Amino acid sequence: MRRFLVIGLCFWNTVHICAQSADAFVLHTGSFENKKVAQFFGKDDRSFASPEERSVFLRERMLDLAGDGYLTAAWDTLKDSGDTLYIQVETGEQVFWAGLDLTDVDKNVLRAAGIKENTFEQKVFRYDVLVGMFRRMLRYAEDNGYPFAQVQLQHIVWSDTSIHATMFWDKGPLITFDTILVKGDLNISANYLEQYTGIHSGEIYNETLLREVDDRLRALTFARLTKNTQVIFSGDRAKVVFWLDEKKASRFDFIIGVLPNNEITGRLIITGDATLGLQNVFGAGESVYMHFSKLESTSKEFIAKATYPYLPGLALGLDGSFSLYLKDSTFLERNANFGLLYSFIGNNYVKAFAHVYASSILSVDTAYILAYKDLPAQLDVSETGYGLQWNTEHLDYRYNPRRGFAWNVSGSVGTRTILENAVIASLQDPLDPAFDFTSLYDSTDKQVLSIRYAYDLRYYIPWPAHAAILLQMRGASMIHDQILENELFRIGGNMLLRGFDERAIPVSTYHIFTTEFHYILSQNGYASLFFDGGYTLNASDGNTDAIFPFGFGAGINFETKAGVFGVQYALGGTQQTPVALRSAKVHFGYVNYF
């Protein structure tokens, strides 16, 4: 809301130019002794496509002169010969400020607008500077509870070359926000809307929040803004009305993978992933995510995540996740992550978190230990760490973007501990009964500093004819001494490094670059060609040999009334393993939004 009054100043004469019928319309201004006028008008003769265009040019130049202090500048017609207009410009005297009395203006307002007492003394009178100053003053007032503030010049004394005036400032009544009213079928709590928009009942009025609020509301994945936000003033209160309808954001999807010639079994393997993601089910902006994967015949994974974006009365939320990974009968891995979330607009947030990791050996190779008096490559471990995560999304459409970028980066520092295994500790060697197998742990660093980081960077470049190019980098690394086999990352498959068996590549560090061409078929459908290339390192047992896997292929996701169906075909290889058609990986998928 903005109202201000400025004393009317006549800067130029009213002009009338008759239309001419010619191919070109010329404005002839002659030569100017005043360099400032010559600068504004440029060359002596200027051609225009129409009389209207010529008129606009003249008006703009006269405004430029007035803005530079030539308040009485005007022009006269010397001759009009049809397609050529000859004019003469009289600038008059340049006007300077003799002074501007700011006595009655709040000092905080002047400070916010960058105005000092001597700002205008002996300075050229510039209309745009004056208007800019008024706007800054009003912006400050609007953002501090006074949307009806007024500013104007009074007691103007104007001579040929100077002007003196007094600034009048009326801030108007103090306005505070009333309740937020939602019009539409969206079920959302008042606490969520207040924290997300920054508009709190009882707090002073802030115009900047209202200017930005529609963009913030459009960024919600579960809401549709049907009308621009309205503000209703009543007395000293301002009620804010949001027009919001529910939008389908929850999803269920599954993927079936057909993997011939599995590296472990040597035969065809069917894998499966199922994911359920729920958004704003309870009207608090919360999200719940559950994922189950069947990898090899006896390997399984379960992941659960939940986010509660805003605690009551706070701009902070909670975020947590828990995962289980069972590697056949070899080991069981548990990972928990709990964090304090600070959310920005859309899906942008910063999170401080603590994570707890544990890997327990289920099957111990006692024969190896007895024979070699050495610990196996897999041991019981636990890790506790603390870190930060930063997520940003600026995409034109979250589920099938054509332009924009997104990133998610995280890092943590903690302590990794090797735990004694009860089976190993209880072993007895018949040939050496006195040997204490717990002493094998003395050769290990039981507690070490552990550093982890992970990142996912995406950039979408729009391409003509409904297409886009995706450039993506993903990576992670664990950095500590004596990395064990059972604590490695496991990559490969449909989600990361296509063309390989699901979770078939154990690594301690990986960096995967993806380039992918999308031809957009519908809102949620596209055809694609892709290439994944990576750098991987498995540092367990001191290994330092890097592997450079790559995968490529094509896919299509097509949208129907029943959901989005997809199929993807991928081939993969390394510098040691050439690409083999008989090892192609095929994935079939389905996504339903509700």
Side-chain angles (χ1 to χ4, degrees), residues 145-297:
Y146 298 97
F148 298 105
Q150 299 181 52
V151 59
Q152 60 180 328
L153 296 183
Q154 291 184 342
H155 310 302
I156 297 173
V157 179
W158 181 12
S159 67
D160 290 339
T161 59
S162 66
I163 187 169
H164 186 282
T166 299
M167 184 181 292
F168 171 77
W169 172 255
D170 180 11
K171 63 183 180 181
L174 176 65
I175 305 297
T176 56
F177 282 121
D178 201 343
T179 56
I180 293 176
L181 180 64
V182 177
K183 294 288 187 71
D185 60 14
L186 177 67
N187 175 31
I188 189 68
S189 69
N191 177 67
Y192 180 89
L193 285 178
E194 286 192 355
Q195 301 300 336
Y196 182 73
T197 63
I199 299 173
H200 298 271
S201 177
E203 292 191 355
I204 62 172
Y205 183 95
N206 188 317
E207 181 76 15
T208 295
L209 292 178
L210 292 172
R211 278 193 294 269
E212 298 173 351
V213 72
D214 283 351
D215 287 337
R216 294 181 68 88
L217 294 174
R218 290 188 186 97
L220 290 174
T221 58
F222 53 83
R224 178 181 294 106
L225 186 68
T226 58
K227 290 184 181 180
N228 291 335
T229 296
Q230 295 180 335
V231 182
I232 301 173
F233 293 96
S234 178
D236 61 353
R237 307 282 283 181
K239 179 176 291 186
V240 181
V241 182
F242 296 146
W243 297 82
L244 297 170
D245 281 346
E246 186 176 359
K247 183 168 67 176
K248 292 181 179 180
S250 298
R251 58 183 287 172
F252 169 75
D253 63 76
F254 64 82
I255 298 174
I256 297 174
V258 181
L259 315 178
N261 300 302
N262 178 259
E263 294 181 4
I264 297 176
T265 65
R267 63 179 186 274
L268 183 142
I269 291 291
I270 303 296
T271 65
D273 288 52
T275 302
L276 176 65
L278 304 176
Q279 286 273 340
N280 195 46
V281 175
F282 302 107
E286 77 290 343
S287 64
V288 178
Y289 170 92
M290 289 178 285
H291 176 84
F292 176 79
S293 299
K294 173 188 173 295
L295 304 172
E296 301 154 18
S297 57

Side-chain angles (χ1 to χ4, degrees), residues 36-114:
K36 181 66 66 174
V37 179
Q39 175 186 334
F40 287 148
F41 278 85
K43 58 187 179 181
D44 295 346
D45 294 308
R46 184 181 295 270
S47 297
F48 300 91
S50 67
E52 291 77 13
E53 184 179 321
R54 188 169 61 187
S55 298
V56 169
F57 175 80
L58 268 173
R59 286 195 294 270
E60 289 176 348
R61 298 296 76 80
M62 301 311 293
L63 283 172
D64 289 339
L65 284 171
D68 200 47
Y70 295 95
L71 304 184
T72 59
W75 64 270
D76 292 323
T77 300
L78 299 178
K79 181 182 178 182
D80 189 348
S81 63
D83 61 353
T84 303
L85 179 66
Y86 296 85
I87 67 169
Q88 178 179 342
V89 178
E90 296 292 341
T91 62
E93 296 291 338
Q94 193 173 26
V95 179
F96 291 79
W97 278 104
L100 181 60
D101 187 352
L102 305 173
T103 305
D104 295 332
V105 184
D106 190 308
K107 302 300 181 184
N108 292 326
V109 177
L110 294 176
R111 190 179 304 112

Side-chain angles (χ1 to χ4, degrees), residues 10 44 108 146 175 272 312 357 511 517 577 586:
C10 182
D44 295 346
N108 292 326
Y146 298 97
I175 305 297
Y357 168 85
H511 303 283
F517 175 80
T577 307
V586 182

